[in-house]
Amino acid sequence: MERSIMKTIILRKGKEESLGRFHPWIFSGAIHHTEGGSALEEGDLVEVLSSDGRFLALGHWQIGSIAVRVLTFKRQPINQAFWQKRLSAALDVRRCIGVAGREDNDIYRLVHGEGDNLPGLVIDIYGPTAVIQAHSVGMHVCRNELAAALRETMGESLKAIYYKSETTLPFKAQLGQENGFLWGESDNDVARENGLAFHIDWLKGQKTGFFVDQRDNRSLVERYSKGRKVLNMFCYTGGFSVYAMRGGAELVHSVDSSAKAIELVDANMELNFPGDNRHEAFAEDAFRFMEKTPSYSSVATEVVAPLCGAVATSSGYSKDPSRPKGDLEGLYDLIILDPPAFAKHKDALHNALRGYTKLNAKAFEMIQPGGILFTFSCSQAVNKDQFRTAVFTAAAMARRKVRILHQLHQPADHPINIYHPEGEYLKGLVLYVE
Ligand code: SAH
């Protein structure tokens, strides 16, 4: 089918309103009919008109509830020059916020979908390698043009472009897409974040290979780590753990159910702190790990003088020889909870909130008086207030006195388009537990 002949979508009466507010999505229910001869093909560039024939936008069409992702509200050619202009604007933002063009930091998100006016597209930079991830069929169709535009934008600093969209495109579209290099090749998988080195697994890893969105929150963990016993739950490749080590933690335990992730944590530790035995990693289910850790209420009645807030370090409660070494001293005094999205859709909201409450209640039970809890939700379907209520319920269940010290969110290289509030997804709380 010829894709160069532009097809036209006519909206139902009154359905152009959200476009007037520059919202970049058109839902399938808003469409009245299509013009342009042949049938629409997923990934087609379409022109969108109001019911009275006014031009509204150009965007990519695909089957699903979000039928069109808007690229522009102006009539203009969508070609390499268009992509290049958008990519350069995105790079300017990353320079402005100070994550690009630095010696000690070459990991950052260059394109964050709607947040950079490029719906359906993610590009992460890992040193000389860019990883492109398409979340829409339209961006998949344009991948080579995008790669060419990216090379122009990044210049000499870029040596390879990897395409990783096998799991992010609709299966039913039958695109037969495979992960692989679109241009160049690189076997150097080490890149830097705030002076710390990380192996990036763009071949097999989650997302584009690394969780770029926790950079600023990791720096905050570093500030609180001195002399603390740190537990990093859902650690993936150990980002928070490596920062805690640099911050002077007394010990750091990293837990993830994926054995592959734990291998990467160990490799990242070796890269930054070779031979340092303050760190230990466990390939284990988070809930199982937490079940085996003593709780504040049991320790408090047996060995803690609750009024002065001191935990006895001598024996006094059960020492399970199968438990990790730091555990003999009992509770942790800095815990990070960064679980995967519990609710991928609104329908799963209720169960997700219960999940957050259960998880956080357990963490409140495992933390020393004077301890710090970093707790996150990356579920877009759970809003800030709902998350805070889930954590509040958990604190009450554990009967701990809790203060909110910081309210965290996604970093500036994951910007939110002001017309697309749905782009806000990461939220976190830093809590002081008395
Ligand atoms: N904090 C990480 C990102 C966490 S992503 C970072 O900064 O890079 C969520 C992680 O939770 C994934 O690595 C996944 O393997 C792990 N996970 C999912 N379910 C789990 C469970 N039940 N127990 C432990 N880990 C789990």
Side-chain angles (χ1 to χ4, degrees):
M1 207 166 292
E2 183 51 79
R3 282 195 190 257
S4 59
I5 298 169
M6 178 114 55
K7 287 150 203 162
T8 303
I9 279 181
I10 320 289
L11 298 190
R12 288 177 198 279
K13 201 158 183 271
K15 291 293 181 187
E16 67 282 356
E17 263 180 32
S18 66
L19 293 176
R21 294 191 301 271
F22 304 111
H23 194 283
W25 292 346
I26 297 171
F27 292 99
S28 56
I31 296 176
H32 188 270
H33 71 278
T34 306
E35 288 173 1
S38 53
L40 280 177
E41 203 179 338
E42 285 202 89
D44 274 348
L45 181 68
V46 292
E47 187 175 60
V48 183
L49 304 184
S50 65
S51 58
D52 56 3
R54 247 177 333 112
F55 173 83
L56 296 171
L58 294 175
H60 283 145
W61 178 81
Q62 77 183 56
I63 296 171
S65 139
I66 304 170
V68 181
R69 287 169 171 83
V70 173
L71 296 168
T72 172
F73 296 94
K74 271 197 330 212
R75 224 180 216 130
Q76 60 178 316
I78 305 298
N79 51 21
Q80 194 180 314
F82 170 85
W83 300 123
Q84 215 171 308
K85 211 165 152 204
R86 291 274 159 106
L87 295 179
S88 308
L91 183 57
D92 284 347
V93 171
R94 275 61 186 178
R95 288 201 184 108
C96 158
I97 60 180
V99 290
R102 266 167 56 186
E103 285 273 303
D104 66 332
N105 192 89
D106 56 17
I107 297 177
Y108 59 93
R109 176 153 293 190
L110 176 66
V111 173
H112 186 60
E114 285 80 358
D116 286 295
N117 302 305
L118 289 165
L121 183 68
V122 162
I123 303 179
D124 285 337
I125 303 293
Y126 298 118
T129 305
V131 180
I132 296 186
Q133 192 161 72
H135 291 254
S136 72
V137 183
M139 289 301 185
H140 171 73
V141 170
C142 297
R143 62 196 180 285
N144 287 314
E145 219 170 64
L146 283 164
L150 183 60
R151 285 176 60 187
E152 287 295 324
T153 308
M154 300 297 288
E156 289 290 293
S157 68
L158 195 67
K159 304 284 181 242
I161 301 176
Y162 191 76
Y163 186 60
K164 188 171 193 285
S165 306
E166 236 167 46
T167 57
T168 55
L169 287 167
F171 172 71
K172 285 192 190 139
Q174 293 190 326
L175 302 167
Q177 68 273 16
E178 280 177 15
N179 292 343
F181 284 99
L182 289 178
W183 171 74
E185 209 157 304
S186 169
D187 53 9
N188 171 19
D189 71 343
V190 176
R192 276 174 197 280
E193 186 183 89
N194 288 327
L196 292 163
F198 291 95
H199 290 283
I200 311 294
D201 185 12
W202 53 74
L203 300 182
K204 295 255 160 22
Q206 301 178 42
K207 296 220 183 179
T208 60
F210 191 66
F211 282 73
V212 183
D213 57 2
Q214 291 285 25
R215 180 198 318 105
D216 296 352
N217 302 332
R218 289 180 190 126
S219 287
L220 195 59
V221 162
E222 176 175 2
R223 271 174 47 196
Y224 278 103
S225 292
K226 198 161 184 56
R228 291 188 187 263
K229 300 187 187 76
V230 177
L231 172 62
N232 180 11
M233 299 297 278
F234 310 95
C235 63
Y236 188 43
T237 56
F240 284 106
S241 305
V242 175
Y243 277 75
M245 293 284 283
R246 189 167 70 178
E250 186 183 310
L251 71 81
V252 180
H253 287 163
S254 305
V255 179
D256 199 286
S257 54
S258 152
K260 177 81 190 136
I262 293 301
E263 265 176 42
L264 278 165
V265 179
D266 285 333
N268 285 333
M269 246 348 131
E270 211 37 46
L271 207 53
N272 294 282
F273 303 98
D276 193 325
N277 60 9
R278 287 176 297 153
H279 178 256
E280 214 173 326
F282 305 89
E284 198 171 352
D285 174 79
F287 287 93
R288 204 167 308 150
F289 184 92
M290 290 169 109
E291 283 309 318
K292 290 196 259 170
T293 307
S295 73
Y296 172 74
S297 48
S298 67
V299 177
T301 48
E302 290 171 35
V303 289
V304 175
L307 291 178
C308 65
V311 176
T313 49
S314 60
S315 60
Y317 55 97
S318 79
K319 287 183 182 178
D320 175 353
S322 72
R323 296 301 303 143
K325 57 179 187 268
D327 185 69
L328 295 178
E329 284 128 88
L331 311 174
Y332 292 95
D333 37 21
L334 197 164
I335 298 179
I336 301 131
L337 298 178
D338 184 24
F342 282 175
K344 293 238 157 72
H345 304 283
K346 283 262 179 248
D347 330 342
L349 183 62
H350 182 69
N351 280 344
L353 293 175
R354 282 181 40 186
Y356 286 121
T357 299
K358 187 172 161 210
L359 181 66
N360 281 277
K362 191 64 203 153
F364 282 125
E365 283 177 10
M366 290 165 58
I367 206 158
Q368 302 258 20
I372 305 280
L373 175 63
F374 278 70
T375 181
F376 295 97
S377 163
C378 61
S379 306
Q380 193 266 328
V382 174
N383 71 30
K384 230 183 318 197
D385 290 339
Q386 289 163 327
F387 178 59
R388 189 154 149 182
T389 305
V391 177
F392 151 94
T393 309
M397 279 163 67
R399 304 182 69 80
R400 303 293 300 264
K401 279 204 190 83
V402 174
R403 292 170 174 82
I404 298 177
L405 303 184
H406 304 267
Q407 304 190 50
L408 307 179
H409 39 75
Q410 64 217 59
D413 57 347
H414 293 57
I416 302 161
N417 178 340
I418 200 159
Y419 306 114
H420 180 255
E422 297 89 335
E424 185 169 3
Y425 70 102
L426 183 64
K427 52 239 149 245
L429 293 168
V430 183
L431 305 166
Y432 181 90
V433 187
E434 198 172 310

